Amino acid sequence: MKLRFSASDEAFRVEVANWLRDNLCGEFESIRFRGGPGDEHSFVEERKAWERKLGEAGWTCIGWPQAWGGRAASIEQQVVFNEEYARAGGPGRIGHIGETLMGPTLIAYGSEAQKVKYLPAIRSGDAIWCQGYSEPSAGSDLANVKTKAVFDEQAQVWHITGQKVWTSLAHESQYCFVVARTDPQAKGHKGLGFFMLDMDQPGVTIRPIEQLTGTSEFNEVFFDSAVCSADDIVGKPGEGWQVAMALLGFERGVSTLGQQMLFQNEFNDIVQLAKRNGADRDPMLRQRIAEAHIGLRLMRYNTLRVLSGSDQGELQAEGMIYKLYWSSWHRNLGKLAMDVMGADSEILEAEPYALNRLQSMFLFTRADTIYGGTNQIQRNLIAERALGMPREPRGNNE
Amino acid sequence: MNFTFNDDQLLFRDSVRDLLSNEVTAERIRQRWDSDSGVDSAALQSLVDLGLTAALVPEEQGGLGLNTVDFILIAEECGRAALPEPIVDSCLVATPMLVDADRALEGSDSRLGELLQAIASGDQTVLCGPSINPYINFAHSADYLLLPHGNEVHLVAIDAVQLELQTSVDLSRRLSKVSWQPRSETCIARGEMGADLWRSTLNRGALANAAQLLGLSEAMVARSVQFATDREQFGRPIGVNQAVKHLLADCAVKAEFAKPAIYRAAYTVAVAPTRADWSVSHAKASAGDAARAASRNCTQVHGAMGYTWECDLHIWMKRAWTLDREWGDAGFHKNRIHEWLLQPNALLGPQYTFGRRHLGDAVNPTIAV
Ligand SMILES: Cc1cc2nc3c(=O)[nH]c(=O)nc-3n(C[C@H](O)[C@H](O)[C@H](O)COP(=O)(O)OP(=O)(O)OC[C@H]3O[C@@H](n4cnc5c(N)ncnc54)[C@H](O)[C@@H]3O)c2cc1C
């Protein structure tokens, strides 16, 4: 155990901080502290430009191997980067699905040709990806995917037909990774494929879904014989479930560091507000602010503790526990923000429905306990997989 | 000792519930969001026809002469329907304030009696803006406002105030910030009398919101039970899962236990509104707790669907969010409870659970009314 950063990590910190100071300004001044949880829909074009800016300077995908344009940054360096990024008010990363989910999955499971085709554009910040898992009948029961993939021998392409739903940022993405059924006879986890699909084609229709925030960040996506080349399936037909699950493992890994830094910024905003509006004199709110701080620090320590023991930057059993902890913590933070705001928490900034950042954060935290595996599903996983308790019958589709 | 409602009270409740479930649908609530006034005049007229505006006006003034206990189930129904119009604010809060003022003045100010008659017939509306609420909901739709200036109570015609409209997270609400100048001719009460009126009004307002929060909670749970029965995952209704059942069962328990607190507070407000602080705070804290749990858990049960604008759940969820804060938030009401409890001469024994014996005791404000 050694709970401090090395001299070279501190030098790296200075390098990151200087770069951000010199570059997160001018045309990018307006997006500082924007695009975080509940604010994903805002400043999309500016944030895409920012991704490319980061990419040019080698500040995307810093944990990736050097062979794929990364810096092979150590966990410590990634921690430092995320700390400095948040401190500088770095905007929500619109490229995060590519960088933290698709990229690592390809590096681990993709073919050489796939890596060459897709990784550079993720690294440079040019390609935005979205996640096509959920369907109307496949939410918690993700394996109940009905979207079909049919192989056309002659043309050597897959035809994808079906519907995805709740697809975040689909309308801003060039690519979508899609879980679809390659074997029409198979049920559940079997007979699935994992496809990388170009969104810019006639077979793809995207319809935004309005959220209770009045904004749209997620979509319905319809595939009508959308074309996917034979080379764009990760793993073999039938191995889609394994790839899809491996990808979720990365979701719980090192990518959580950046998220915690955003939480830290939100927490600081709430404390500042409490000091300004006098909520800091309320003994009950003071206790809740202390609780929030304790939870936030626990999450940091625990992530660092667990990452210290892993080479890949992936979390194992502990990772399952993390989603439940942060989503519940964040939901409480959202309520705390509203209680600190007081009577004005119900007043909008402008018509027709412009929420301020804390208000949208509060509402968004109600989704945190749902997406990426609901709290109920997480508890089942912890009890059954981490603790080894007897399995609850899941129903017909097992 | 009898906690039950009589047949008349239940019949009144049933007819209001029937009317609201037909006339105040989610679809019609959404239509109000797009209108300027935010009022559905047809629905409002039906409620007037049922006698809601006349309910708490004395018979001498053309009213039904009912009291808070008679109206508490109606307030609950208005919450259940997420009724946008401020019927509960006007009928259960502002009207009794006027009635109290008229009584205290022994009818000497003829304006009050005339106004009460117009309220009973549904021709005029009065709302009040106590200092605890920075905004008045639907002020623009009222004819008069009851406004505080220190302890004074002013009855001010709507064209004598300036309204600054605000947009609420709950589009059914139409909040205004009110600016106005107190004048001697608008002042209807001052000093002790004014203070008593505001004290009763705070209790009535908090009670009114508690009852609506209860209705909102039960409505959210009912919708979620339906959703959990219809929505299938893993080849069976999601409601089969214990985790889903428990989310809703917890809400049902909280709502059920908020009921006696609300009914007890309604009783106390009916007999001694200036000394109902403790029981009203108990009701508001319990109902708020139930509503916060229902908002959280019912969204959870709906999954991603519950996070959409299209799903009606947020109509109820956002109303609960706002009513929980209005007329004193959870912290305000818990403070009133502990300040009362921790006084050196607080009467805490079991014999004080219901403080009827002490009702006439005006000297000691710590009695367990
Ligand atoms: C803001 C947001 C963004 C999203 N972005 C994406 C995206 O980019 N890509 C994508 O593919 N998906 C996305 N999703 C979808 C998300 O992954 C699903 O919402 C989630 O998997 C839950 O599925 P569901 O909404 O269908 O809820 P359901 O599965 O219908 O669940 C409803 C309720 O039942 C409970 N439940 C269901 N089954 C069980 C069980 N066996 N045991 C106990 N409880 C159970 C759940 O916990 C929940 O409370 C997003 C969702 C949200 C809210």
Side-chain angles (χ1 to χ4, degrees):
Chain A
M1 187 165 327
K2 178 175 139 284
L3 299 182
R4 71 171 42 152
F5 292 106
S6 68
S8 69
D9 291 337
E10 290 301 347
F12 180 73
R13 180 188 297 281
V14 173
E15 187 189 346
V16 175
N18 286 346
W19 187 85
L20 286 166
R21 186 197 57 217
D22 297 341
N23 291 277
L24 187 53
C25 54
E27 59 179 313
F28 297 117
E29 187 61 43
S30 62
I31 59 171
R32 289 183 65 218
F33 296 102
R34 298 305 304 261
D39 194 34
E40 284 90 346
H41 56 280
S42 63
F43 294 103
V44 169
E45 285 316 311
E46 293 85 343
R47 282 161 58 217
K48 282 184 173 174
W50 172 246
E51 286 293 313
R52 292 190 293 272
K53 180 100 185 166
L54 285 171
E56 274 166 31
W59 291 119
T60 55
C61 312
I62 61 170
W64 288 15
Q66 279 162 341
W68 298 112
R71 292 174 180 245
S74 65
I75 298 289
E76 286 82 357
Q77 287 178 331
Q78 295 184 54
V79 170
V80 165
F81 176 81
N82 280 298
E83 286 179 355
E84 290 306 316
Y85 188 83
R87 195 174 62 85
R93 295 286 312 279
I94 199 165
H96 72 104
I97 295 181
E99 168 166 339
T100 63
L101 301 180
M102 192 61 238
T105 305
L106 270 185
I107 291 170
Y109 303 97
S111 70
E112 210 51 26
Q114 289 171 337
K115 293 179 196 176
V116 170
K117 181 170 174 191
Y118 290 109
L119 292 179
I122 296 177
R123 227 279 312 144
S124 66
D126 285 301
I128 308 297
W129 284 75
C130 62
Q131 177 174 22
Y133 279 19
S134 305
E135 297 184 6
S137 60
S140 296
D141 185 10
L142 178 55
N144 194 32
V145 160
K146 301 264 198 284
T147 297
K148 285 192 183 62
V150 179
F151 194 60
D152 179 340
E153 292 286 349
Q154 230 173 2
Q156 286 292 299
V157 294
W158 291 92
H159 287 286
I160 312 245
T161 300
Q163 184 197 346
K164 294 292 172 181
V165 70
W166 320 125
T167 320
S168 298
L169 295 175
H171 56 302
E172 302 292 351
S173 302
Q174 282 94 319
Y175 302 106
C176 181
F177 48 87
V178 174
V179 179
R181 203 160 291 284
T182 49
D183 176 358
Q185 311 302 329
K187 275 200 153 72
H189 309 164
K190 302 199 183 78
L192 296 170
F194 187 102
F195 297 90
M196 296 181 290
L197 196 92
D198 191 337
M199 295 291 271
D200 183 15
Q201 58 168 306
V204 176
T205 310
I206 300 168
R207 227 194 65 184
I209 305 174
E210 195 175 4
Q211 303 178 329
L212 53 73
T213 49
T215 53
S216 283
E217 173 261 347
F218 56 31
N219 304 272
E220 286 179 292
V221 179
F222 300 90
F223 302 120
D224 180 11
S225 257
V227 177
C228 181
S229 120
D231 302 329
D232 287 333
I233 177 168
V234 183
K236 295 194 190 63
E239 291 176 358
W241 183 255
Q242 287 70 22
V243 178
M245 289 302 108
L247 180 138
L248 292 183
F250 293 111
E251 188 166 25
R252 304 184 189 113
V254 77
S255 65
T256 58
L257 290 170
Q259 183 199 41
Q260 284 175 15
M261 297 299 109
L262 291 176
F263 290 170
Q264 181 75 56
N265 281 349
E266 290 170 351
F267 175 79
N268 293 352
D269 283 353
I270 293 167
V271 171
Q272 291 309 324
L273 176 61
K275 287 183 183 165
R276 273 203 310 279
N277 75 3
D280 65 339
R281 289 193 296 275
D282 181 320
M284 292 206 289
L285 290 175
R286 291 176 73 92
Q287 297 261 328
R288 285 166 62 196
I289 288 170
E291 269 169 31
H293 168 80
I294 289 171
L296 182 56
R297 280 300 155 94
L298 286 182
M299 286 192 284
R300 284 222 55 216
Y301 296 160
N302 209 39
T303 305
L304 293 176
R305 180 179 69 94
V306 173
L307 285 173
S308 316
S310 136
D311 300 334
Q312 328 293 262
E314 281 173 70
L315 303 185
Q316 302 306 325
E318 299 89 342
M320 296 174 194
I321 294 173
Y322 183 60
K323 166 82 210 290
L324 179 66
Y325 193 94
W326 77 250
S327 63
S328 310
W329 175 87
H330 202 216
R331 187 166 64 180
N332 290 341
L333 187 78
K335 191 71 180 90
L336 174 63
M338 292 304 95
D339 292 344
V340 164
M341 267 185 89
D344 281 341
S345 63
E346 80 159 293
I347 305 296
L348 301 190
E349 286 200 323
E351 285 190 275
Y353 209 76
L355 300 165
N356 71 30
R357 275 166 54 209
L358 288 179
Q359 288 165 334
S360 22
M361 188 273 276
F362 163 63
L363 287 174
F364 190 71
T365 62
R366 296 292 158 110
D368 284 333
T369 54
I370 293 167
Y371 65 77
T374 68
N375 276 12
Q376 289 64 46
I377 297 296
Q378 298 298 334
R379 285 193 179 90
N380 285 346
L381 287 176
I382 292 168
E384 295 174 5
R385 302 241 187 102
L387 302 181
M389 292 177 77
R391 223 166 160 255
E392 187 176 76
R394 287 282 192 284
N396 307 340
N397 291 352
E398 263 181 288
Chain B
M1 178 66 50
N2 184 350
F3 247 115
T4 58
F5 290 91
N6 65 33
D7 287 347
D8 289 344
Q9 290 163 335
L10 294 175
L11 216 62
F12 192 22
R13 190 263 323 263
D14 290 346
S15 48
V16 171
R17 181 186 286 191
D18 286 350
L19 184 125
L20 290 172
S21 66
N22 292 325
E23 300 249 328
V24 186
T25 56
E27 198 188 340
R28 281 176 66 176
I29 290 176
R30 287 170 187 270
Q31 284 166 7
R32 289 171 174 84
W33 294 352
D34 297 326
S35 76
D36 276 343
S37 69
V39 173
D40 179 332
S41 347
L44 192 58
Q45 188 56 48
S46 313
L47 292 168
V48 172
D49 294 344
L50 261 187
L52 266 63
T53 52
L56 271 73
V57 175
E59 282 168 309
E60 311 85 89
Q61 279 132 349
L64 302 174
L66 302 179
N67 68 23
T68 310
V69 176
D70 302 309
F71 203 86
I72 200 68
L73 297 177
I74 307 303
E76 213 174 295
E77 292 312 316
C78 293
R80 192 183 316 281
L83 176 72
E85 286 78 12
I87 279 284
V88 180
D89 295 337
S90 59
C91 302
L92 189 57
V93 188
T95 300
M97 188 181 198
L98 272 179
V99 172
D100 283 359
D102 189 40
R103 289 221 173 104
L105 296 171
E106 293 170 347
S108 62
D109 186 339
S110 62
R111 285 177 304 177
L112 303 191
E114 284 160 22
L115 187 52
L116 282 168
Q117 283 181 12
I119 289 172
S121 60
D123 294 334
Q124 297 210 297
T125 310
V126 181
L127 290 168
C128 60
S131 47
I132 197 169
N133 297 336
Y135 309 102
I136 303 183
N137 191 20
F138 279 96
H140 64 284
S141 76
D143 299 285
Y144 287 92
L145 299 177
L146 288 158
L147 297 169
H149 179 65
N151 281 339
E152 290 172 9
V153 181
H154 288 256
L155 179 65
V156 189
I158 198 70
D159 47 23
V161 304
Q162 264 130 42
L163 300 180
E164 194 190 322
L165 271 166
Q166 312 279 329
T167 315
S168 165
V169 284
D170 173 5
L171 289 181
S172 296
R173 279 159 68 81
R174 300 298 168 103
L175 303 179
S176 289
K177 201 168 203 123
V178 181
S179 331
W180 63 291
Q181 285 301 323
R183 291 168 198 279
S184 58
E185 59 279 17
T186 57
C187 180
I188 59 168
R190 57 171 58 83
E192 267 308 289
M193 177 186 164
D196 275 355
L197 285 171
W198 285 121
R199 184 165 201 151
S200 308
T201 298
L202 173 55
N203 284 335
R204 288 200 184 95
L207 173 68
N209 275 25
Q212 291 176 86
L213 285 164
L214 170 62
L216 287 162
S217 306
E218 291 194 332
M220 285 190 273
V221 171
R223 291 185 154 264
S224 304
V225 167
Q226 191 61 51
F227 183 85
T229 310
D230 298 341
R231 165 78 175 157
E232 292 197 358
Q233 283 290 274
F234 302 99
R236 53 191 194 167
I238 57 168
V240 163
N241 299 294
Q242 204 175 51
V244 173
K245 288 195 180 81
H246 288 188
L247 281 176
L248 297 179
D250 283 346
C251 296
V253 170
K254 282 181 191 280
E256 199 57 29
F257 278 84
K259 279 179 196 168
I262 292 168
Y263 302 156
R264 187 253 153 87
Y267 177 83
T268 312
V269 166
V271 297
T274 53
R275 284 188 280 128
D277 295 13
W278 178 83
S279 57
V280 163
S281 284
H282 183 181
K284 179 86 183 338
S286 311
D289 188 37
R292 289 191 299 276
S295 303
R296 202 169 50 236
N297 290 2
C298 293
T299 306
Q300 186 68 19
V301 166
H302 279 72
M305 193 61 85
Y307 193 64
T308 63
W309 190 269
E310 187 189 334
C311 175
D312 292 327
L313 185 69
H314 74 111
I315 299 176
W316 280 260
M317 188 269 256
K318 288 172 179 168
R319 183 71 54 81
W321 172 10
T322 61
L323 296 193
D324 179 35
R325 169 165 308 286
E326 203 183 54
W327 294 103
D329 63 8
F332 173 87
H333 288 288
K334 283 189 196 154
N335 280 340
R336 289 212 313 184
I337 293 174
H338 72 65
E339 273 158 24
W340 170 77
L341 275 174
L342 300 177
Q343 284 192 52
N345 55 348
L347 303 181
L348 299 176
Q351 72 274 34
Y352 299 117
T353 307
F354 297 92
R356 256 179 45 217
R357 281 197 301 126
H358 303 277
L359 266 184
D361 182 0
V363 198
N364 183 356
T366 62
I367 54 158
V369 171

